[in-house]
Amino acid sequence: MVLEVAEIKVTPGQEDAFKKAYRSVREVVRVSPGLRSMRMTQGVENPSRFVLLIEWDSVEAHEQGFRETDRFPKWREAIGPFFAEPPFVEHFADVD
């Protein structure tokens, strides 16, 4: 299992519109093979900062099972207009 962590900075003043867009399109991601769980969080001190946390079976499940499909452009089209800058995305593995 890997954890995708995506830091998303939204243009100030667009937070509510971003959350609405996310809610309308999240199912596009959730149906991806290899996705185990998904949640979006919003900063308390900095409400324009969001962190998306997705557990995948593997990095390949994320990249091939979602990013290389027709679902990814739909996802970006819905939420991308609210980005203040490109998201910073990394994958993490549990430490035993």
Side-chain angles (χ1 to χ4, degrees), residues 38-59:
M38 174 179 177
R39 74 185 241 222
M40 179 74 75
T41 63
Q42 182 177 16
V44 174
E45 292 81 11
N46 183 352
S48 295
R49 184 173 179 237
F50 291 79
V51 177
L52 175 65
L53 303 164
I54 303 180
E55 289 183 322
W56 296 97
D57 286 342
S58 63
V59 173

Side-chain angles (χ1 to χ4, degrees), residues 21-37:
Y22 165 75
R23 289 181 186 118
S24 75
V25 76
R26 65 183 162 197
E27 199 60 31
V28 168
V29 182
R30 282 193 176 156
V31 298
S32 299
L35 187 141
R36 295 181 179 198
S37 70

Side-chain angles (χ1 to χ4, degrees), residues 59-74:
V59 173
E60 293 77 20
H62 175 211
E63 293 177 352
Q64 296 167 6
F66 175 62
R67 290 193 70 132
E68 294 178 10
T69 72
D70 62 344
R71 292 186 311 279
F72 181 69
K74 292 175 187 175

Side-chain angles (χ1 to χ4, degrees), residues 4-28:
E4 172 194 358
V5 178
E7 180 182 1
I8 302 168
K9 294 181 180 174
V10 171
T11 303
Q14 295 293 305
E15 296 87 357
D16 288 340
F18 172 76
K19 290 188 286 188
K20 183 178 179 181
Y22 165 75
R23 289 181 186 118
S24 75
V25 76
R26 65 183 162 197
E27 199 60 31
V28 168

